[in-house]
Structure formats: C-alpha cells, structure tokens
Amino acid sequence: MNSTFSKNGFEIIKADDLPALNELQKHVRDISYKLIGTETSENIIGDLNSLHKAFKSPEDANTFRLKLTSQLSSQVDVGTKVFEIFRSKLEPLVGPDILVQKTPNLVFQPPEYPIPTELHRDAPANSPYEVIVWLPFVDCFNTKSMYVLDREHSQIAAEHIKQNPDDKNGFDEILLAHAALMEVPFGSALIFWSGLFHGSIVNKEGESRLSLNIRYKNLFSPAGMKDQLRYFNILQTSQLTDLGLDFQYREQFR
Amino acid sequence: MKKYLSILHDYESGDFFEPGVSKMPNLDLQRKAIDVLLQKRDARQVQEFKTSVDQRFSTKDVIFETDQFSGIVFFSAESLRTKNREIDLKLFNSLYEEFAEIFIIIESISIENEQEFLSVSKRFISLNYCVQRDASDEWKDLVSQVTIGSINQ
C-alpha cells in the first residue's frame, strides 16, 4: 500500500472518481470565465490552458486567483470533494480520523509569469504528519508543472543547510541534480509528504497552469507550529473515535 | 437587539511563535472584526473584556446577571488557552452554561445549539490530548527511538 509514497515521499495517483473531478474542473472553469467575463467553449481544458490571455499583468492574475479561491471555497466543499475523489490513496495514509485544511490554495501560473513558487518545504512549520494533495486542472508537464526533491534528497538538502547555512551554491547543486519536474496529467494528483522540498520555475510551455493544493492529516497527529484550530477542520472521524470522545466528554462534564 | 459580551486578546509584542504570522492583530483590529460579526447578527456589544497570557478569563469576572447577555464573542481561542496551550475545557463548559451563543472569530467557531457545542467540545478534547502527548517526555522518547524507515521497511 502506497509503497512508492513511503520510499520517495510522493506519488502520482489517479482519481478514484473521475466524473467528480471532471465536475470540479468544470466548476473551476465556469467561475474563472465568469470572473474574466468571457464565454466558455466546449473544451474545458482548452479554456483553462488559455486563461492567461485575459490578464495583462501578474498583479491582475493574482487578483483573479484570490477571487477564484474565495468563490470556489464558498460554493464547493473542496476539502471533502478532493478527499472523496482520491479516497482510496489518502485514507490509508492519514487514517479514518481526518483533519482537512480549511481553505485550499489555488495557484495560477501563466506562461512566463515571473514569480514561481519558491523552493520550500512545509514541515517545519507545518506538521511532518501531513500529506499535501497537488491537483492540477490542466495537464502539467515540464516547466508547467512543479518540482519535488524526493525523501532521500530532501534529507540530504536539509542536512546540507544545517551544516552549511551560507552555502547557497552547494544547495542549488543538490537541487539541480535531483529535483524532478512532475508529469501530472489532468485526472491525477501528486500527493507528497510535508517534509519534501518543492517549488516551481517559470512556466515556459505557453499554456496556463491552474492547480490547487490542500493538506490532510490525522486528527491526533502532532500539530507542528500551525494551529490546527485556525487552519484545519474535521473532515471525518471513525465510529470508535466518536465513542471515545463522547466517553471523555461525559467523564469530564456530566 | 441581541447583546453580546466581547473578549479581546492582548497578544504579547514581538514575533509570534507561528511562522508566517508576522504580527498579531492589535486590539483596534480585533474590535473591528467583532463589530462586523455584531452587525451581521444585528447585535450590539454591552461589555468588553481583555485577556492576555497573564490575564486569564473566568465567567465570574463578567457575569453579573445571567440574562444580561445573549452571547459571547471571542476574537480568538487564545483567550481560552491555558499557559500550556491546552483549551480550558472547564471554562468552555461554563461558558455554555451561561451563554446561549458562543462565537470565536479567528477559528470560525459558531455555537448556537447543544449539538454544535458538543461537536466543538470533542474537537477541543482531541486537541488537548495531542497537546499533552506532544509535550510529554514519553512522546519525545518514542520519537527519538523510532525512524520512518524502521517502521515501513
């Protein structure tokens, strides 16, 4: 079960429920095109690939992204929807008692957009017991995608920073040698562990990348430095956990 | 018109412990956030109380006449935390005995019936369990002894 994930810290997984993902993609496209005031076509993925044509500046694109995030989150329970679409792979990782990030992050990366996602890893400060689902709404390949350092090389890179905090060149060498751009077609998602270094570079593929990322972890996992009350909601609990929490509540208050 | 008691939290100055949060909201900003909630609920504030790391909150501090308030609005759950970062469950339980409605703005918590109260209480119980465990020597020993590789391979 998830042996690739265990070894590398990441895995590209196919949707269990492709019709539900198609529906989510259409919803994202419809909101996007309403926001930019343009008629949609029959080709949903084509519409999303062309989104960049509506924007004159990175600032405009970012304003659009924020509005899209807000509208999508208010119209769709994205955390539950994404979990259901990929349940067979996610539930064995996080267990039956699940916290989900309150608001998903939507990322819009037009071609030549000068501000890619900087190299970073989520944990710390996030919990090292989190899994991130990176879900593209278009086909992502080469520079249109994101890169990841696998578990082994993330560990090497982390050690390098620890031992040589000022050696940026050495760190970049590790990155250049081992970071892999992920090929994630629409219909799949990249899931990765919060301890992996990841980021993106300038998109040179001539098409827009629109993706979301959202985090899941076990209700009883260590919180890291991010307050779980502020950043996470309960997505589901097992029957056994329900009994245990009910028991504890009665012991304390009744 | 409903009448609420509002609870602000006076954060310590300097860097907040949570990365990515450079500055915590000052009292004026907190009042503005509470005003927005009050307006949405067609309510008004009748009393304000401030908590801080050293200034804890108790219902005894503010309850003069129980029916004085329709509800209580916290800016943040920080006001409900003990020094060891647990949620003060006894205080939380006493709030529900005194106030029909409880809101916590930053954590998006809204309690207007018993089911919502029970749901949030259980969330706090699980959170406190994690806080206690993560701070324990037993947990630190376990983490130091176990590696991911030894479990999975």
Side-chain angles (χ1 to χ4, degrees), chain B residues 63-106:
Chain B
I63 305 303
F64 304 110
E65 299 167 39
T66 303
D67 59 359
Q68 187 177 352
F69 303 107
S70 320
I72 184 166
V73 184
F74 289 85
F75 175 75
S76 162
E78 283 299 314
S79 297
L80 293 169
R81 288 187 195 269
T82 62
K83 280 194 174 175
N84 64 5
R85 306 291 302 153
E86 288 178 47
I87 298 288
D88 186 338
L89 287 172
K90 281 189 180 160
L91 169 60
F92 183 63
N93 201 50
S94 71
L95 291 176
Y96 189 65
E97 288 171 0
E98 302 288 354
F99 299 96
E101 299 170 2
I102 304 170
F103 302 98
I104 310 175
I105 290 177
I106 287 292

Side-chain angles (χ1 to χ4, degrees), chain B residues 135-152:
Chain B
S136 70
D137 290 339
E138 290 84 356
W139 176 253
K140 286 169 191 159
D141 286 346
L142 180 70
V143 171
S144 70
Q145 288 167 23
V146 176
T147 65
I148 295 173
S150 68
I151 292 175
N152 287 337

Side-chain angles (χ1 to χ4, degrees), chain A residues 239-249, chain B residues 125:
Chain A
Q239 293 174 14
L240 185 59
T241 294
D242 289 341
L243 293 181
L245 290 174
D246 189 62
F247 176 84
Q248 280 199 293
Y249 176 79
Chain B
I125 287 171

